[in-house]
Amino acid sequence: STQTVKTSTEVRHLAISCHFTERPGVLANIVKVYGQKGRTIIFCNTKAEANEFATNSTLRGECEVLHGDIAQKQREITLSGFRTGKF
């Protein structure tokens, strides 16, 4: 049987192609333009890539990293901060 998958009407998905060296700047611009009225999640292929984006000068202070190598307590703090709009 064929299953139809639906997404929330309140979630906006963006896919933008760019050179890997431009990603941090492009992501920072996307968050500034589209993230004003809500929250933004950026999915990465690897933990290292997530760490790189979170510590990049164009995104630092505006985001937190979340992956399996982060301690559970810190993951809970990060998720709580995301839910409340802290970053």
Side-chain angles (χ1 to χ4, degrees):
S1 74
T2 303
Q3 182 180 11
T4 302
V5 178
K6 295 182 180 182
T7 60
S8 169
T9 58
E10 296 181 28
V11 173
R12 186 171 192 178
H13 296 96
L14 298 175
I16 298 173
S17 179
C18 66
H19 192 268
F20 76 93
T21 59
E22 298 172 330
R23 285 183 190 166
V26 170
L27 288 171
N29 287 336
I30 290 169
V31 170
K32 286 177 184 159
V33 171
Y34 295 101
Q36 297 298 319
K37 296 180 181 176
R39 294 165 287 191
T40 303
I41 297 176
I42 300 169
F43 292 93
C44 300
N45 289 329
T46 65
K47 296 171 192 174
E49 188 176 38
N51 289 336
E52 180 182 328
F53 285 143
T55 59
N56 187 282
S57 62
T58 59
L59 296 169
R60 188 179 7 199
E62 298 192 35
C63 68
E64 293 288 332
V65 67
L66 185 67
H67 55 64
D69 287 350
I70 305 296
Q72 180 63 31
K73 183 65 178 169
Q74 183 58 49
R75 286 192 303 231
E76 291 170 8
I77 292 168
T78 298
L79 284 172
S80 176
F82 179 75
R83 286 186 195 107
T84 60
K86 183 177 178 182
F87 52 86

